[in-house]
């Protein structure tokens, strides 16, 4: 199924990701992360939304110079090496270490709170988040069940929803505390891991309406919303145009 992309022009990067969302450009924290990185690194790209899953059965993935590469973090590391890119020049080793720790907290732990709210407890509302073909709508209950099994396998899914929300709300408190009054996790300028943290926190700010995560970011942890606004202003001047208006 990936063969159709084998003949992509060598100088063109194709970003394969989920459908555009009605609340923010991407309802995938990893998709928003990778697209923000491409903008930060000034790498031209073309968007392909939901065609086929990548070589690891995941979204997002890219096609570049005949290669199909999956996993947002591995893609970033591949492009950094391939194109000689470094967006971390102005951050200290300590800042980069702290930013990496926050990225891992958000991607590997907070992510499951997002899944619980969006795909387990409110799966019927997913079509309100993005325009989904009828066939995929029919598969949403099955996808919800599969995600719940993944949560159980991970361990966090063995807890009650209330416990899961308490655990993942604590992640927002943690990254808010680390950010403090700083502009970005990389200091006065964003670093590479800001893309990932933004990809996750933006879901809480704009992509999880009615959730405790949204209430926290618009209230007690308002520095996270202000942070997202700065990232949005810096890398997404076309934010509104990148949302699904249908």
């Amino acid at each position: 199924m990936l063969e159709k992309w084998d003949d992509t022009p060598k100088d063109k990067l194709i970003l394969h990701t989920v459908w555009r969302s009605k609340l923010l450009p991407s309802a995938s924290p990893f998709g928003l992360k990778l697209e923000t990185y491409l903008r930060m690194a000034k790498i031209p790209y073309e968007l392909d939304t939901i065609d086929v899953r990548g070589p690891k059965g995941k979204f997002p993935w890219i096609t570049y110079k005949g290669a199909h590469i999956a996993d947002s973090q591995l893609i970033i590391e591949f492009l950094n090496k391939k194109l000689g890119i470094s967006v971390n020049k102005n951050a200290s080793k300590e800042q980069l270490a702290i930013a990496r720790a926050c990225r891992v907290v958000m991607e590997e732990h907070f992510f499951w709170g997002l899944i619980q709210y969006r795909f387990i407890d409110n799966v019927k509302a997913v079509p309100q988040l993005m325009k989904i073909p009828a066939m995929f709508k029919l598969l949403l209950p099955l996808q919800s069940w599969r995600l719940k099994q993944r949560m159980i396998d991970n361990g966090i899914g063995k807890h009650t929803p209330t416990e899961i929300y308490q655990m993942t709300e604590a992640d927002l408190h943690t990254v808010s505390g680390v950010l403090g009054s700083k502009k970005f996790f990389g200091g006065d300028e964003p670093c590479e891991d800001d893309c990932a943290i933004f990809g996750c926190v933006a879901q809480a700010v704009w992509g999880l309406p009615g959730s405790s995560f949204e209430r926290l970011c618009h209230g007690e942890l308002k520095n996270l919303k202000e942070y997202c606004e700065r990232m949005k202003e810096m890398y997404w001047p076309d934010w509104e145009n990148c949302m699904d208006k249908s």
Side-chain angles (χ1 to χ4, degrees):
M1 294 178 70
L2 301 179
E3 289 180 358
K4 64 175 288 187
W5 296 104
D6 289 346
D7 296 328
T8 300
K10 299 299 183 182
D11 60 344
K12 186 179 292 186
L13 187 150
I14 308 295
L15 170 60
H16 309 272
T17 188
V18 297
W19 299 285
R20 286 303 196 195
S21 169
K22 298 177 181 181
L23 302 177
L24 69 173
S26 179
S28 163
F30 304 103
L32 188 58
K33 162 191 175 178
L34 185 53
E35 197 166 354
T36 301
Y37 162 80
L38 293 173
R39 290 165 175 244
M40 178 185 285
K42 297 181 173 59
I43 301 173
Y45 64 95
E46 290 188 11
L47 202 66
D48 166 57
T49 54
I50 292 286
D51 186 7
V52 296
R53 289 185 178 272
K56 295 185 179 180
K58 299 170 65 177
F59 278 108
W61 57 285
I62 66 166
T63 297
Y64 184 65
K65 292 187 180 296
H68 308 302
I69 305 152
D71 187 276
S72 61
Q73 192 60 34
L74 295 180
I75 291 168
I76 289 173
E77 292 171 9
F78 167 82
L79 292 173
N80 283 345
K81 184 176 180 180
K82 190 79 172 178
L83 302 177
I85 292 171
S86 175
V87 297
N88 292 329
K89 295 177 181 177
N90 297 315
S92 68
K93 287 185 178 181
E94 181 181 7
Q95 287 171 324
L96 293 176
I98 293 172
R100 183 182 186 279
C102 288
R103 169 176 67 81
V104 172
V105 165
M106 296 304 289
E107 290 189 331
E108 303 298 334
H109 195 260
F110 172 77
F111 172 74
W112 295 113
L114 182 159
I115 293 297
Q116 179 70 38
Y117 184 81
R118 182 182 287 167
F119 293 107
I120 310 300
D121 294 340
N122 297 281
V123 66
K124 292 182 180 179
V126 171
Q128 299 172 23
L129 180 64
M130 65 183 82
K131 188 176 181 179
I132 302 177
M135 180 183 70
F136 287 91
K137 286 183 183 179
L138 293 174
L139 295 174
L140 278 174
L142 176 61
Q143 181 68 3
S144 177
W145 179 83
R146 286 176 173 172
L147 286 169
K148 184 61 179 180
Q149 296 310 303
R150 283 181 59 192
M151 291 181 68
I152 292 171
D153 292 342
N154 174 275
I156 195 169
K158 296 180 180 180
H159 302 296
T160 66
T162 298
E163 291 169 335
I164 292 170
Y165 290 137
Q166 288 175 344
M167 292 175 182
T168 48
E169 285 166 14
D171 297 329
L172 289 178
H173 280 276
T174 296
V175 295
S176 173
V178 171
L179 179 63
S181 60
K182 297 188 293 294
K183 290 183 178 180
F184 305 101
F185 288 86
D188 289 335
E189 296 182 19
C191 65
E192 182 183 293
D193 282 329
D194 272 290
C195 299
I197 299 167
F198 169 66
C200 290
V201 177
Q203 305 300 321
V205 173
W206 295 297
L208 298 170
S211 68
S212 58
F213 307 127
E214 180 189 58
R215 289 192 294 274
L216 281 172
C217 291
H218 287 258
E220 183 181 353
L221 308 181
K222 65 179 182 179
N223 67 330
L224 292 180
K225 181 177 184 294
E226 293 165 352
Y227 161 75
C228 285
E229 292 286 0
R230 285 191 290 273
M231 288 289 290
K232 174 181 160 185
E233 181 179 353
M234 185 171 287
Y235 300 112
W236 289 88
D238 55 346
W239 181 272
E240 297 294 330
N241 294 331
C242 291
M243 292 163 59
D244 178 12
K245 301 296 185 181
S246 61

